[in-house]
Amino acid sequence: MTAKKERIFYYDALRAFAIIAVIICHVDMFFGPLTSQTQVIAQMTFHDIGRIGVPIFLMISGALLLNRDYPDLGQFLKKRFARIIYPFIFWIILILGQLYLYHYSPSYLWKVFIGEPSITWYFWTLIGIYLFIPVINTFINEYGEKGIKYFLAIWFITMVLKTFNSYPLWQYFDLNMFAGYVGYPILGYWLSTKKFNMSDAKVCIMGLVTLIISLSVFVYLNYIGSDWINLIYQNIPIIFMGSGLFLFVKYLDNLHKFDSIKDNFIGKAIVSLSVCSYGMYFSHVIVVKFLSYHNPHSHLLFPVMFALTIFLSWLLPYILSKIPYVKTISGV
């Protein structure tokens, strides 16, 4: 009998935060009318915190999948793709069905499928990353930390150029193998294994300070509508935000700060959110669309709408995972 693999709690904590962060980015309509500068900044800060979600998801993937032994390439791809493709097919049918009932056009439904006006872009990004994981994994196995630093250095350069909307510098200077989202899994693996020459407490504080400063920069640039920075997921502030949070949570765990909650309701809720996170990534689209038709447009009721969105987005895949033969497509 194979022993059950022990869960790493800080991965669960990061993944639970990441799915809540993703939902944060899509509940803006539940804010009441923004009537003051303070409300604008508060809403913008709340939304920008949500931007950390996608990088964290990708960083966790790298921490879990890289520097592993994959003797059978076909089995690796089959296993990884089965875990993301079957739930995608199931949820996209439900998402498109809901939009069809709401009388959206066929052309809009197609765009949702390919991820243009929808969160489904992440699925297609993940497909590309999983195709590249075996290549990166072999590279890391061969060259170790030096190879990782080499890759991350070039990736960081491309992100600097993208931040200032300067990539590519010229047509034939092609760094696309290093550019884009693929750097996040490698960054996540590196941070999960990196040994710092300082105490765990100092690294924890360093992560928190990095998170706060980079988030402040991100919110400020977003607030002034800066036209010299690309405020999506491929820019320097986002990289530091993700890195800061990753280190902060990891070293909180190293310092045993989570020990008091791991076995109580809070810890179990965190693990459940983590386990259901992929299903929630899709289910929250349905929930947000439904609740948008019952929007109270109230600042006071926003916390209720936000909490309700998270709860229903968790409840749908959780219930489906309890139904025989449905668990494999529920995203749990």
Side-chain angles (χ1 to χ4, degrees):
M1 182 175 179
T2 304
K4 187 176 181 180
K5 190 174 181 180
E6 184 178 356
R7 302 193 68 86
I8 300 174
F9 188 79
Y10 86 84
Y11 287 161
D12 283 322
L14 283 168
R15 196 182 287 111
F17 174 86
I19 189 58
I20 293 174
V22 168
I23 293 174
I24 284 174
C25 287
H26 303 128
V27 294
D28 286 9
M29 78 285 291
F30 298 136
F31 269 98
L34 303 177
T35 57
S36 70
Q37 187 179 49
T38 300
Q39 290 175 350
V40 170
I41 295 174
Q43 185 270 346
M44 192 169 290
T45 302
F46 182 75
H47 184 274
D48 288 347
I49 289 173
R51 291 293 185 188
I52 310 175
V54 167
I56 289 296
F57 272 133
L58 295 176
M59 290 165 74
I60 295 172
S61 293
L64 291 172
L65 295 177
L66 291 176
N67 200 19
R68 301 290 189 267
D69 183 20
Y70 299 123
D72 190 326
L73 183 59
Q75 281 298 111
F76 166 79
L77 293 175
K78 181 180 179 181
K79 180 180 179 181
R80 301 316 306 180
F81 285 164
R83 294 188 64 176
I84 64 171
I85 290 178
Y86 294 149
F88 171 76
I89 293 172
F90 173 73
W91 286 108
I92 197 64
I93 290 173
L94 296 184
I95 291 170
L96 296 180
Q98 181 192 43
L99 294 176
Y100 178 79
L101 291 176
Y102 289 154
H103 307 294
Y104 283 83
S105 68
S107 61
Y108 184 85
L109 299 185
W110 170 250
K111 288 182 178 180
V112 170
F113 177 75
I114 63 176
E116 288 188 359
S118 170
I119 55 91
T120 53
W121 69 267
Y122 177 74
F123 167 77
W124 300 109
T125 298
L126 205 56
I127 288 286
I129 288 176
Y130 279 177
L131 287 172
F132 203 40
I133 282 289
V135 178
I136 302 171
N137 188 66
T138 301
F139 177 78
I140 290 175
N141 287 340
E142 179 70 23
Y143 293 102
E145 187 173 8
K146 287 185 178 179
I148 294 172
K149 290 180 177 178
Y150 169 78
F151 194 103
L152 288 178
I154 301 177
W155 177 66
F156 190 79
I157 291 171
T158 66
M159 291 301 101
V160 170
L161 294 175
K162 285 195 172 188
T163 299
F164 295 94
N165 295 315
S166 300
Y167 179 78
L169 290 173
W170 48 86
Q171 181 179 358
Y172 297 106
F173 183 57
D174 189 354
L175 295 176
N176 280 325
M177 288 182 292
F178 297 92
Y181 293 94
V182 72
Y184 283 114
I186 301 174
L187 177 62
Y189 170 72
W190 183 65
L191 291 177
S192 71
T193 58
K194 174 67 177 175
K195 305 296 183 182
F196 292 92
N197 294 321
M198 60 180 74
S199 68
D200 287 355
K202 288 182 178 179
V203 178
C204 187
I205 294 172
M206 179 182 71
L208 179 60
V209 171
T210 300
L211 171 62
I212 293 173
I213 292 176
S214 55
L215 175 61
S216 300
V217 171
F218 192 88
V219 172
Y220 174 73
L221 293 173
N222 200 0
Y223 177 72
I224 65 175
S226 173
D227 58 0
W228 56 267
I229 184 169
N230 178 14
L231 295 177
I232 310 294
Y233 295 106
Q234 300 180 54
N235 60 70
I236 297 306
I238 283 286
I239 291 174
F240 281 105
M241 286 162 63
S243 300
L245 180 65
F246 194 99
L247 289 175
F248 177 60
V249 174
K250 176 187 175 182
Y251 281 88
L252 278 179
D253 198 28
N254 284 2
L255 293 166
H256 305 287
K257 299 299 184 181
F258 294 129
D259 288 359
S260 62
I261 68 169
K262 286 182 180 179
D263 296 322
N264 64 18
F265 173 78
I266 296 175
K268 291 177 181 178
I270 288 172
V271 172
S272 186
L273 285 170
S274 172
V275 171
C276 295
S277 60
Y278 188 58
M280 289 177 67
Y281 191 86
F282 296 112
S283 67
H284 89 273
V285 178
I286 297 172
V287 172
V288 169
K289 179 62 68 175
F290 172 76
L291 291 180
S292 66
Y293 288 89
H294 306 277
N295 188 354
H297 296 288
S298 167
H299 295 304
L300 294 177
L301 290 178
F302 173 77
V304 176
M305 296 297 289
F306 180 46
L308 184 61
T309 302
I310 293 173
F311 175 72
L312 293 178
S313 300
W314 164 82
L315 187 64
L316 281 174
Y318 177 79
I319 291 176
L320 289 171
S321 72
K322 302 301 180 182
I323 302 174
Y325 307 110
V326 179
K327 181 175 182 178
T328 55
I329 60 175
S330 67
V332 175

